[in-house]
Amino acid sequence: MAAVRIGIIGAGSAIFSMRLVSDICKTDSLMGSEVVLMDIDENRLNAVSFLAQRISDEFDAKIRFSTTTQVDEAISNSDFVINSALVGGHAFLERMRKIGEKHGYQRGIDTQEFNMVSDYYTLTNWNQLSYFLEIAQKMENNGAKNPWLLQAANPVFEGTTLIHRQTNTNMVGFCHGHHEVRHLADAIGIPMSQIDWQVAGVNHGIWLNRFEKDGENLYPKLEEYFNSRKEWHPKDPPDDQLSPVAWDLYSFYGMFPIGDTQRNSSWKYHYNLETKKKWYGAPWGGFDSDLGWKWYQDKVYTIAKTLQEMMKMIMEQASATKDLSVKAFINENINQFPEDIRDQVNQIFDHSRLSGEQHIPFIDAIANNNPTRLVVNTMNSMGKDETEVVIQGLPNDCACEFPAIVDGRGIHPEVLAPKLTERIIKWYLMPRIMRMEWALEAFIKKDRSLIVEFLMRDRRTTSYEQAKAVVEEIFENNG
Amino acid sequence: MAAVRIGIIGAGSAIFSMRLVSDICKTDSLMGSEVVLMDIDENRLNAVSFLAQRISDEFDAKIRFSTTTQVDEAISNSDFVINSALVGGHAFLERMRKIGEKHGYQRGIDTQEFNMVSDYYTLTNWNQLSYFLEIAQKMENNGAKNPWLLQAANPVFEGTTLIHRQTNTNMVGFCHGHHEVRHLADAIGIPMSQIDWQVAGVNHGIWLNRFEKDGENLYPKLEEYFNSRKEWHPKDPPDDQLSPVAWDLYSFYGMFPIGDTQRNSSWKYHYNLETKKKWYGAPWGGFDSDLGWKWYQDKVYTIAKTLQEMMKMIMEQASATKDLSVKAFINENINQFPEDIRDQVNQIFDHSRLSGEQHIPFIDAIANNNPTRLVVNTMNSMGKDETEVVIQGLPNDCACEFPAIVDGRGIHPEVLAPKLTERIIKWYLMPRIMRMEWALEAFIKKDRSLIVEFLMRDRRTTSYEQAKAVVEEIFENNG
């Protein structure tokens, strides 16, 4: 049992922070730890901190929380730093998108083949990548012994590659997309606990290379499910694991795409709203259509607002009633949250359920030498023998996502069996990796002409002048 | 001095064959060799053979020529086989192009980013790739000791990679694009003989990594030339080594593109005829515009027709006059050829000048252990240690083009110094290699759906249905 110091950067993001905080409070082996919550928005930070401390107290976790607006304070002497900050916030992304659309780039210039996720900016948010590097560099000599940086903010693929190449900080990138495997398990009616599965690829481009039960390949059952299915309708825009697009990608690539991978492909599924609806289902046409993204933005806004109101109420009541139970209060007021996230909110206050985020299990695995299976983003070569890679056929020096056992000695990747199909390597991952390289060079050299050149390979570009103009306007407004 | 047996496949292509034949007749160390001329067009073949024999006699080269319409005869027991055959001929290419254009693909679907050369078909001419393989397979046990296959027909990049991967035949691919370096030497007024140069890349994507005189880098002189130049006009469509596009590519990639490389880039220079004119010069807009390609097709037709007529006249005169000199005859009638190819025709009959094609010097180098510097297409790893590659940063198992010393023991690549720029590797060669892989997989599996998928990444595609329709129509007419 180890008490550690954890810094959380971007902790004002209430729902994500509460998930992490409650995970810490439920992990007995981290009892007595210290958590530094950092954000530039003090009001949101104070609310999160107050709630966090109450949860710790109610769970008797003995976690000490403090707050800061200074990134250095979250990093200094911290054994683990979790970075979930989005520099500029969603407002910045929408501003850049709007400029792109003005110049003929539907959904903005960061929306690219094999990277269509609407908040995964690799071309225009240089401030985000700079912040990644700044944090990683500060961690190189932060006073702790072998500290770890846990990257939660996107773009995880570009960020993990960049930080590994340019700093000596121990760093791992996390995403929760792989949890979507459970939808496939549900479809064939087999509990996840009985399934032996692996996923591999790069962040937001991962593929189900293994899907077995007692040594039996379950892919035929998946095919049966899809072939016998009459109709399918998404329950909301992100609901695409069982969508026609997933099935179509499987048909071509030979393995199932998982999680955000369905959103990231060629323009085949994205030419226009009609095309999107066909593949991702009506009425939204998926997560990354104008409709789908608006749905998501509205939801995020509603949740944040509800949470803020509730926090305010809790804080007011707390000063009046000494023995207020936050859990009980949330329970009484759960109906104020949108129906589809009530379970998520309840989970935070349910001692028996972790959030599914991998950050705290990772910290526990490292700090307490508690072997844990996680899906991590780290370098394909793992820094050992450069020619020995986890995903064969991919370069050794780029970040990949794969399952690994994590313990006190670090990250031990699983051997992938079977290997990813050649088609996934050559038709999907290599093109995506190529674009990662282009984006990183542009960022490292701060060379706008490279973004223009990137756009010369974009189907929406019809002239050099168009590409030049959009890049100029974006970087003039990119302060 | 070694007399060898050489098979030439596609020998009916008069001008190319006459260049090879005259090179053989001028290479004393190949005296007494046997040449088997193979083509499916007997008339053209007989004319070439007749002329070839006359040249040999006039040069006293003691070469024996025979003709055949059977590919096996050209291969059996041949020490060297040169394949220059284009299956289906230019008529096939134009038919496929027309179908492509009907479906909205300007210049046809084989015209692709980084492969815009109008007769370099990688997607639709599976018969050509099959023929490459058929010849290479037949050579595996052709009766000769360590025979060599010399690939002259396009696509050399895809073909060389394919043959090396799928057969055990000694094989090398040739192109003459690197000779264009001399235009750069001319521009700065330094004789080629004084220049120390290297080029490297993949076929039709080669870059001038070294350009020096007595250890002095000549790139500053090139910059001076381009910066001080007032105006520039192409003398004909292929004249692009000093065009604005070459300069623009240099500005981005950091080294000069050479030969056909100027034609092969992103759509930046190819969006439409106006764009092409801007970069490649008016009135044609380069080799691969509708105008430029028509100019070239007309010229090829005129040359072939003139040559045929002349051959007919020579044959008629020869039966009347025993001591007819072909050289004298051509000399007298040289004005019948288009002005800009007269020198090329004269060269054939000038004993002191070789054609510049590399095939016969290669044969001489191997057969007579005569060390010769050539620019070859062969595997990047050269089949030795798989991790030791000629062009660093590129995969070991794809065909690359680079300078090498060839002698009786084989091909010895030069060490490239300086190395290609990272930008050439990551922004040019990797995308081109990726497309080679896609094309080869489609061919090997004979999977049309892969061509459709290829087109999903093509800027001209606006719907899946469009791509599917064009591929269907092409392969229905692809007998």
Side-chain angles (χ1 to χ4, degrees):
Chain A
M1 200 179 104
V4 295
R5 181 180 155 105
I6 301 170
I8 301 180
I9 297 170
S13 161
I15 196 100
F16 183 71
S17 290
M18 291 319 298
R19 284 157 71 87
L20 294 187
V21 158
S22 93
D23 281 351
I24 298 172
C25 294
K26 295 168 195 167
T27 305
D28 292 346
S29 46
L30 295 175
M31 193 181 276
S33 291
E34 181 188 355
V35 177
V36 184
L37 302 164
M38 182 264 158
D39 204 288
I40 50 171
D41 184 328
E42 266 185 287
N43 285 336
R44 291 166 71 181
L45 200 55
N46 287 336
V48 167
S49 168
F50 174 81
L51 207 53
Q53 196 62 62
R54 297 294 304 210
I55 292 174
S56 170
D57 293 350
E58 287 180 32
F59 287 174
D60 196 22
K62 302 194 170 54
I63 308 292
R64 279 164 299 143
F65 291 95
S66 62
T67 63
T68 178
T69 56
Q70 303 301 311
V71 73
D72 284 337
E73 272 186 58
I75 293 174
S76 286
N77 298 308
S78 284
D79 302 296
F80 300 92
V81 170
I82 300 170
N83 176 21
S84 73
L86 172 57
V87 178
H90 275 266
F92 171 83
L93 306 187
E94 294 312 317
R95 222 163 63 236
M96 294 304 111
R97 189 179 338 268
K98 216 168 167 184
I99 298 174
E101 295 197 324
K102 185 178 130 189
H103 289 269
Y105 295 87
Q106 176 211 347
R107 304 293 303 146
I109 71 167
D110 290 273
T111 286
Q112 285 288 337
E113 273 184 326
F114 309 105
N115 181 26
M116 305 225 169
V117 169
S118 302
D119 56 359
Y120 208 95
Y121 275 33
T122 66
L123 301 181
T124 58
N125 202 353
W126 284 350
N127 291 334
Q128 176 79 342
L129 295 172
S130 292
Y131 198 54
F132 286 5
L133 272 187
E134 185 190 327
I135 290 168
Q137 280 154 356
K138 284 179 189 226
M139 286 198 63
E140 284 182 328
N141 294 297
N142 79 335
K145 197 181 155 194
N146 291 326
W148 275 90
L149 172 59
L150 285 60
Q151 181 67 37
N154 282 329
V156 164
F157 178 36
E158 277 74 7
T160 306
T161 304
L162 181 70
I163 290 170
H164 272 276
R165 286 184 184 171
Q166 301 228 337
T167 76
N168 292 313
T169 297
N170 287 323
M171 182 269 195
V172 63
F174 284 120
C175 188
H176 44 225
H178 63 276
H179 287 306
E180 304 294 305
V181 174
R182 81 189 138 78
H183 292 300
L184 297 176
D186 289 350
I188 60 171
I190 297 180
M192 268 304 277
S193 58
Q194 295 178 21
I195 292 181
D196 174 14
W197 60 274
Q198 286 186 323
V199 291
V202 303
N203 183 237
H204 286 194
I206 57 172
W207 302 82
L208 187 66
N209 63 309
R210 188 154 82 216
F211 193 56
E212 297 178 357
K213 184 193 170 193
D214 304 327
E216 182 202 345
N217 183 11
L218 297 173
Y219 264 92
K221 285 202 197 302
L222 274 181
E223 299 209 2
E224 223 172 90
Y225 161 78
F226 276 94
N227 284 326
S228 66
R229 187 170 76 176
K230 289 278 182 303
E231 262 190 300
W232 176 84
H233 298 288
K235 70 173 172 30
D236 54 36
D239 178 26
D240 60 12
Q241 186 60 66
L242 301 178
S243 70
V245 80
W247 175 247
D248 197 63
L249 287 168
Y250 162 63
S251 305
F252 183 78
Y253 290 101
M255 287 173 174
F256 254 87
I258 297 296
D260 301 289
T261 313
Q262 289 83 261
R263 304 161 68 182
N264 280 337
S265 59
S266 74
W267 287 97
K268 178 175 183 183
Y269 316 111
H270 296 277
Y271 284 120
N272 48 48
L273 188 59
E274 277 320 295
T275 315
K276 283 173 184 268
K277 278 185 190 168
K278 180 184 156 196
W279 291 106
Y280 293 91
W284 305 283
F287 210 155
D288 300 296
S289 71
D290 288 341
L291 299 178
W293 197 245
K294 186 180 181 313
W295 173 93
Y296 174 65
Q297 295 292 88
D298 288 350
K299 174 167 295 277
V300 168
Y301 177 77
T302 308
I303 294 169
K305 200 163 152 270
T306 312
L307 212 56
Q308 275 161 30
E309 282 165 8
M310 209 155 295
M311 280 170 163
K312 206 178 148 203
M313 282 161 70
I314 290 170
M315 285 167 89
E316 282 165 7
Q317 291 224 3
S319 56
T321 322
K322 233 180 169 180
D323 57 351
L324 168 81
S325 158
V326 172
K327 185 181 170 177
F329 184 90
I330 295 278
N331 221 17
E332 278 161 30
N333 293 281
I334 192 72
N335 287 340
Q336 297 194 27
F337 287 96
E339 201 178 336
D340 55 344
I341 75 137
R342 286 175 201 164
D343 185 60
Q344 238 185 92
V345 175
N346 279 328
Q347 176 275 320
I348 292 173
F349 302 95
D350 178 348
H351 196 284
S352 68
R353 287 158 69 201
L354 290 178
S355 70
E357 298 292 347
Q358 302 187 95
H359 310 76
I360 308 307
F362 179 85
I363 291 173
D364 181 40
I366 296 275
N368 294 302
N369 191 23
N370 176 18
T372 305
R373 185 181 199 243
L374 299 170
V375 174
V376 299
N377 287 270
T378 187
M379 294 306 255
N380 195 23
S381 72
M382 291 289 303
K384 292 179 230 160
D385 177 0
E386 280 200 358
T387 62
E388 199 184 303
V389 293
V390 181
I391 302 183
Q392 286 170 44
L394 295 188
N396 60 353
D397 66 340
C398 81
C400 290
E401 185 166 318
F402 42 74
I405 302 297
V406 180
D407 64 19
R409 289 173 303 123
I411 297 171
H412 315 287
E414 290 182 7
V415 172
L416 299 173
K419 288 190 281 188
L420 290 178
T421 65
E422 210 181 303
R423 207 164 278 182
I424 292 172
I425 298 289
K426 293 193 170 169
W427 293 75
Y428 188 99
L429 293 172
M430 286 308 296
R432 176 66 182 96
I433 289 170
M434 208 172 67
R435 286 169 173 78
M436 173 275 287
E437 295 288 0
W438 297 346
L440 285 192
E441 191 193 341
F443 162 70
I444 289 165
K445 302 206 173 131
K446 302 291 180 296
D447 187 343
R448 297 180 191 184
S449 79
L450 290 173
I451 307 289
V452 177
E453 180 65 27
F454 202 121
L455 293 182
M456 297 321 292
R457 294 123 194 253
D458 183 309
R459 68 176 307 279
R460 297 164 298 180
T461 304
T462 57
S463 78
Y464 176 62
E465 289 67 30
Q466 176 197 8
K468 209 159 170 289
V470 73
V471 170
E472 262 170 32
E473 188 169 343
I474 277 175
F475 283 93
E476 269 158 29
N477 290 278
N478 190 349
Chain B
M1 200 177 102
V4 295
R5 181 182 156 104
I6 301 170
I8 301 180
I9 297 168
S13 161
I15 196 100
F16 183 71
S17 290
M18 291 318 298
R19 284 158 71 87
L20 294 187
V21 159
S22 92
D23 282 352
I24 299 173
C25 295
K26 294 168 193 168
T27 305
D28 293 346
S29 46
L30 294 175
M31 193 181 276
S33 290
E34 183 188 352
V35 177
V36 184
L37 302 164
M38 182 266 158
D39 204 289
I40 51 171
D41 184 329
E42 266 185 284
N43 285 335
R44 291 166 71 180
L45 199 55
N46 288 335
V48 167
S49 167
F50 174 81
L51 207 55
Q53 196 61 62
R54 296 296 304 213
I55 293 174
S56 170
D57 293 349
E58 286 179 31
F59 287 174
D60 196 23
K62 301 194 172 56
I63 308 291
R64 279 164 301 143
F65 291 94
S66 62
T67 62
T68 179
T69 57
Q70 303 302 312
V71 73
D72 284 337
E73 273 186 57
I75 293 173
S76 285
N77 298 308
S78 285
D79 303 295
F80 299 92
V81 171
I82 300 169
N83 177 20
S84 72
L86 173 58
V87 178
H90 275 266
F92 171 82
L93 306 187
E94 294 311 317
R95 223 164 63 236
M96 293 304 110
R97 188 177 343 266
K98 217 169 165 182
I99 298 173
E101 295 197 325
K102 187 178 125 189
H103 290 269
Y105 295 87
Q106 176 211 346
R107 305 293 303 147
I109 71 166
D110 290 274
T111 287
Q112 285 289 337
E113 272 186 324
F114 310 105
N115 181 27
M116 304 228 169
V117 169
S118 304
D119 56 359
Y120 207 96
Y121 275 31
T122 65
L123 301 182
T124 59
N125 201 353
W126 285 348
N127 290 334
Q128 176 79 339
L129 294 172
S130 293
Y131 199 54
F132 286 5
L133 270 188
E134 185 189 328
I135 291 168
Q137 280 153 355
K138 283 178 190 230
M139 286 196 64
E140 284 183 328
N141 295 296
N142 79 334
K145 197 180 154 195
N146 291 326
W148 275 90
L149 172 59
L150 285 60
Q151 181 68 36
N154 281 329
V156 164
F157 177 37
E158 277 75 6
T160 306
T161 304
L162 180 69
I163 291 170
H164 273 275
R165 286 184 184 172
Q166 301 228 336
T167 76
N168 292 312
T169 297
N170 288 321
M171 182 270 195
V172 62
F174 285 120
C175 188
H176 44 225
H178 62 277
H179 287 306
E180 305 294 305
V181 175
R182 82 189 137 78
H183 292 300
L184 297 177
D186 289 349
I188 59 169
I190 297 180
M192 268 305 276
S193 58
Q194 295 178 20
I195 291 181
D196 174 15
W197 60 274
Q198 285 186 323
V199 291
V202 303
N203 183 236
H204 287 193
I206 56 173
W207 302 83
L208 187 67
N209 63 309
R210 187 153 85 216
F211 193 55
E212 297 178 357
K213 184 192 170 192
D214 303 329
E216 180 202 346
N217 182 11
L218 296 173
Y219 263 93
K221 285 200 197 303
L222 275 181
E223 298 210 4
E224 222 172 274
Y225 161 79
F226 276 94
N227 284 327
S228 67
R229 190 169 75 176
K230 290 277 180 305
E231 262 190 301
W232 176 84
H233 297 289
K235 70 173 174 27
D236 54 36
D239 179 25
D240 60 12
Q241 186 61 66
L242 301 178
S243 69
V245 79
W247 174 248
D248 197 62
L249 286 168
Y250 162 63
S251 306
F252 183 79
Y253 289 101
M255 288 174 174
F256 254 87
I258 297 297
D260 301 290
T261 313
Q262 289 83 261
R263 305 161 69 182
N264 280 337
S265 57
S266 74
W267 286 98
K268 178 176 183 183
Y269 316 111
H270 296 277
Y271 283 120
N272 50 45
L273 187 58
E274 278 321 296
T275 315
K276 283 173 183 267
K277 280 185 189 168
K278 179 184 155 197
W279 290 106
Y280 292 92
W284 304 285
F287 212 155
D288 300 297
S289 71
D290 288 341
L291 298 179
W293 196 245
K294 186 181 181 315
W295 174 93
Y296 174 66
Q297 295 294 85
D298 288 351
K299 172 166 297 273
V300 168
Y301 177 76
T302 308
I303 295 170
K305 200 163 152 267
T306 313
L307 210 58
Q308 275 162 29
E309 282 164 10
M310 210 155 295
M311 279 170 164
K312 205 177 149 203
M313 283 161 69
I314 291 171
M315 286 169 89
E316 282 165 6
Q317 290 221 4
S319 57
T321 323
K322 235 180 167 178
D323 56 352
L324 166 83
S325 158
V326 172
K327 182 180 171 177
F329 183 90
I330 295 280
N331 220 18
E332 276 162 33
N333 294 281
I334 192 72
N335 287 339
Q336 296 193 29
F337 286 95
E339 202 178 334
D340 56 343
I341 75 136
R342 286 175 201 164
D343 184 59
Q344 234 185 95
V345 175
N346 279 328
Q347 176 275 321
I348 292 173
F349 301 96
D350 179 348
H351 196 285
S352 67
R353 287 158 67 202
L354 290 178
S355 69
E357 297 293 348
Q358 301 188 96
H359 310 76
I360 308 308
F362 178 86
I363 291 174
D364 181 39
I366 295 275
N368 294 301
N369 191 25
N370 176 19
T372 306
R373 185 182 201 243
L374 298 170
V375 174
V376 299
N377 286 271
T378 188
M379 294 306 255
N380 195 24
S381 71
M382 292 289 302
K384 291 176 230 158
D385 176 0
E386 280 200 357
T387 62
E388 198 184 306
V389 293
V390 181
I391 302 183
Q392 286 170 44
L394 295 188
N396 60 353
D397 67 339
C398 82
C400 290
E401 186 167 318
F402 43 73
I405 302 298
V406 181
D407 63 21
R409 289 173 304 122
I411 297 171
H412 315 287
E414 290 182 5
V415 172
L416 300 174
K419 288 192 280 189
L420 291 178
T421 63
E422 210 181 304
R423 207 166 277 182
I424 291 172
I425 298 289
K426 292 193 170 169
W427 291 77
Y428 187 99
L429 293 173
M430 286 308 295
R432 176 66 182 94
I433 289 169
M434 208 172 67
R435 286 168 174 77
M436 172 276 286
E437 296 289 0
W438 297 347
L440 285 192
E441 192 192 342
F443 161 71
I444 289 165
K445 303 207 174 131
K446 302 290 179 298
D447 187 344
R448 297 179 191 184
S449 79
L450 290 173
I451 306 289
V452 177
E453 181 65 27
F454 201 120
L455 293 182
M456 299 319 294
R457 294 122 193 253
D458 183 309
R459 69 177 305 280
R460 298 165 298 180
T461 304
T462 56
S463 76
Y464 176 63
E465 290 67 28
Q466 175 198 10
K468 209 158 171 285
V470 73
V471 170
E472 261 171 33
E473 188 169 343
I474 277 176
F475 284 93
E476 269 158 30
N477 289 278
N478 190 346

